[in-house]
Amino acid sequence: MHRRARGAAIPAGTTGRFFTGFLSNPFAADRWIHLKAEAIEHKQCIAAALTIIGSLLGAQMLLLSLPAVGAAANALSLVLLVGLTLRRDKLRSMFVAASVVPMAVFAALALPQHSNAAQAAVLYGTLAALALAYRRMLPTAKSRKKKTKPNYLFAVPAMLATGAVLGTVSYAIVGDYQSLGAMSLPFAAGMLAGFAVIEEFYFRGVLQRYVRQDVGPTLSVAVAVAAFTALTLPAGNIGLTAVAFITSTTLSVAYRLQTNLILTTVTNVTAKLTLLACIALVA
């Protein structure tokens, strides 16, 4: 058998014969088709995530600047998500889960409230009710990967410390937001702790969970963070929006790493109670 000398020219037509042989090989051809299908699916996943993020953020930004237009934008956002639910069988669960946000905003706009706390209570109550309903209705893909329980002796103190840091940062940014210091301390603590539990149940336990099983962990973090941040936009407080973004990013990344609602809930409750403690101490 003769070997081609180093530096010798490749015979003309070798490249063409290589690709012809590659495409004519049934195994190679199947692999090529599979790669093309994966690329198309990846683009569809990114497009679906961007659609959810854009519709939620856009509707809430319009609600901040033009309330009437923003209400109509929330309606269009809901129609869009429901329409995609009917057309995209594979991504149905994530679109249904995301539609909870505009529905909760509608409830908060439709029912009369006399204070910001009452409006927040309606919003979070609607989130909790719809999240419970969808959690029962929607199937969840069961992972074949063996789950390992976190070391709670290490994880819980770490989450408590993280929550304390987030709460302190929140106070440094927003201060006494919505006059929380004017409320009775037990009522404010119970309200904030309840909000934290609902946030984790919906944004991590429902939204991020279903998005993750459809489009992967990275895009699920982006969707959960965008949805939670969008809810704070109508308040018109850039500090509150910044706090929502920082807190939600921390919690969503933690959920991606551990997939444990107990740990993220401990962090969120600690963050909100730390914020309240800072307000009470300064007052």
Side-chain angles (χ1 to χ4, degrees), residues 126-142:
T126 308
L127 279 177
L130 293 175
L132 283 170
Y134 287 155
R135 185 70 177 266
R136 286 181 171 273
M137 290 167 49
L138 295 177
T140 304
K142 295 183 178 180

Side-chain angles (χ1 to χ4, degrees), residues 175-185 188 276 279-280 283:
D176 185 7
Y177 179 70
Q178 291 186 343
S179 301
L180 287 172
M183 302 179 186
S184 66
L185 197 59
L276 183 61
I279 293 173

Side-chain angles (χ1 to χ4, degrees), residues 100-197:
V100 171
V101 175
M103 292 179 70
V105 171
F106 266 129
L109 293 174
L111 299 178
Q113 299 92 27
H114 302 290
S115 65
N116 289 330
Q119 187 177 28
V122 172
L123 177 66
Y124 277 86
T126 308
L127 279 177
L130 293 175
L132 283 170
Y134 287 155
R135 185 70 177 266
R136 286 181 171 273
M137 290 167 49
L138 295 177
T140 304
K142 295 183 178 180
S143 176
R144 297 181 180 179
K145 184 179 179 181
K146 186 178 180 181
K147 295 182 179 180
T148 57
K149 293 184 178 180
N151 182 0
Y152 286 102
L153 292 177
F154 169 78
V156 172
M159 294 296 99
L160 288 172
T162 303
V165 171
L166 288 173
T168 305
V169 171
S170 299
Y171 178 76
I173 295 176
V174 300
D176 185 7
Y177 179 70
Q178 291 186 343
S179 301
L180 287 172
M183 302 179 186
S184 66
L185 197 59
F187 176 79
M191 182 184 70
L192 291 178
F195 287 173
V197 172

Side-chain angles (χ1 to χ4, degrees), residues 49 66 97 122 134 187 193 208 229 258:
L66 301 168
V122 172
Y134 287 155
F187 176 79
Q208 187 171 343
T229 304
Q258 294 290 340

Side-chain angles (χ1 to χ4, degrees), residues 256-278:
R256 175 187 174 178
L257 297 176
Q258 294 290 340
T259 317
N260 191 307
L261 275 182
I262 295 176
L263 298 181
T264 58
T265 302
V266 167
T267 304
N268 202 340
V269 171
T270 304
K272 285 181 169 51
L273 294 183
T274 301
L275 170 64
L276 183 61
C278 291

Side-chain angles (χ1 to χ4, degrees), residues 204 208 212 217-218 220-221 251-259:
R204 253 64 64 182
Q208 187 171 343
R212 180 175 184 167
T218 301
S220 69
V221 171
L251 294 171
S252 292
V253 171
Y255 185 75
R256 175 187 174 178
L257 297 176
Q258 294 290 340
T259 317

